[in-house]
Amino acid sequence: MTQATKDSQLVQDYINGNERAIEVLINKHNARLTGFIYSKVGDRELTEDIFQDTFMKVIRTLKRGAYNEEGKFLPWVMRIAHNLIIDHFRKSNRMPMFEGSDVFSVFSLMGDERLNVEKQIIKEQIETDLTKLIKKLPEDQQEVLEMRLYKDMSFKEISENTGVSINTALGRMRYALINLRKLVEANSIVLTD
Amino acid sequence: MEKIYTTKKNKHKLVSAKPETIKFLLDYSKSLQVMEADGIKYESNLN
């Protein structure tokens, strides 16, 4: 009886409900499969994880009756392991792991992009002041400025929505900004942090 | 000539999965049940 025939018989026994058959199969191919995985990943713990995931997949496939590679058990298992190794490297490329050391702290690479409390308060103050100033502008300029800055509309869209030409919309925006600067100066407001 | 080679053919243990991993897999296998209803296969883990 050849190796493939033996495997095929054990697979069949397992599908028929003999739990002992999978134990024989795992033990029989343990060293070969572990060696194969270890040769690719070079890490004992990771090898163990991939070995486990490989056989979990084997078990699920056999129990679901989805195995159809009669006589080619080991190459099939190796292919599963190979795909899991590729998945692992794809994931680790997307999410590179940084480890800190005594001379290098991983926290020097990490930052919190949120504003601190002080900057948040300043930002809110600026927005409140600006909103008050915009309300003092003539209505047509106010409308164009809000559409452009807050609604992120193009001048073409502003022109279509307000029923004026693009040039008129551009002109209103220009005067809105000139008048805003005047209002800022007149009110002695500081609009920077 | 003095023998300089080790008498042990392979001092390094072959790499193989730990017994705990094997046990986990065998337990997983025993607990996994696949049921079929309306042509759809359902998996359940009976722990």
Side-chain angles (χ1 to χ4, degrees):
Chain A
M1 199 184 254
T2 63
Q3 158 115 357
T5 320
K6 278 183 196 166
D7 282 354
S8 145
Q9 186 57 53
L10 286 163
V11 167
Q12 202 49 54
D13 289 351
Y14 179 62
I15 291 169
N16 292 335
N18 180 1
E19 287 289 332
R20 172 87 182 113
I22 195 71
E23 188 176 354
V24 176
L25 280 168
I26 293 172
N27 285 324
K28 186 176 169 189
H29 299 299
N30 185 348
R32 180 117 184 245
L33 185 66
T34 308
F36 168 73
I37 300 168
Y38 187 74
S39 71
K40 306 283 179 205
V41 300
D43 180 281
R44 289 299 295 265
E45 293 299 314
L46 187 58
T47 300
E48 206 80 30
D49 286 350
I50 293 175
F51 180 91
Q52 186 176 299
D53 289 349
T54 303
F55 267 105
M56 282 174 80
K57 193 156 190 187
V58 167
I59 289 166
R60 285 176 58 221
T61 309
L62 294 178
K63 287 225 168 185
R64 289 174 73 97
Y67 176 72
N68 56 6
E69 295 194 32
E70 192 87 18
K72 296 174 190 168
F73 179 75
L74 187 59
W76 173 62
V77 175
M78 299 279 249
R79 207 158 53 243
I80 293 173
H82 182 252
N83 290 339
L84 288 171
I85 293 165
I86 290 171
D87 286 350
H88 162 75
F89 282 118
R90 278 192 189 138
K91 274 185 214 156
S92 54
N93 274 346
R94 273 205 300 271
M95 291 181 283
M97 191 171 80
F98 291 102
E99 284 183 11
S101 69
D102 292 342
V103 287
F104 166 75
S105 165
V106 70
F107 292 106
S108 66
L109 286 174
M110 294 167 68
D112 184 355
E113 289 181 3
R114 285 175 300 177
L115 295 172
N116 64 27
V117 177
E118 189 191 353
K119 288 197 171 171
Q120 185 63 38
I121 291 170
I122 294 171
K123 185 171 175 277
E124 282 168 15
Q125 186 63 54
I126 290 172
E127 282 168 3
T128 311
D129 288 346
L130 199 57
T131 310
K132 281 181 195 162
L133 293 180
I134 290 171
K135 289 214 166 79
K136 289 185 180 175
L137 291 172
E139 209 170 307
D140 53 350
Q141 292 174 24
Q142 211 181 105
E143 188 182 40
V144 173
L145 192 130
E146 280 172 356
M147 283 180 175
R148 182 75 192 119
L149 296 186
Y150 296 121
K151 296 179 186 167
D152 203 26
M153 290 164 73
S154 68
F155 281 104
K156 187 170 181 286
E157 287 165 333
I158 294 171
S159 125
E160 284 164 5
N161 274 273
T162 54
V164 297
S165 70
I166 293 178
N167 276 342
T168 306
L170 281 164
R172 285 180 182 171
M173 182 70 189
R174 182 169 173 265
Y175 279 102
L177 294 175
I178 290 170
N179 290 331
L180 258 185
R181 282 195 197 101
K182 281 183 189 165
L183 286 166
V184 168
E185 278 173 25
N187 290 283
S188 305
I189 295 169
V190 179
L191 287 178
T192 56
D193 55 354
Chain B
M1 196 176 125
E2 195 177 342
K3 195 174 181 181
I4 56 168
Y5 300 106
T6 174
T7 50
K8 290 179 185 168
K9 279 185 178 171
N10 190 356
K11 278 180 82 175
H12 300 282
K13 263 182 85 178
L14 273 172
V15 185
S16 57
K18 291 177 191 162
E20 304 94 270
T21 307
I22 311 287
K23 188 179 180 309
F24 170 85
L25 286 167
L26 298 178
D27 289 344
Y28 172 76
S29 171
K30 281 174 196 153
S31 64
L32 185 70
Q33 301 284 322
V34 178
M35 290 160 284
E36 194 169 347
D38 296 330
I40 299 168
K41 284 178 179 158
Y42 298 95
E43 285 175 22
S44 68
N45 217 297
L46 310 169
N47 276 316

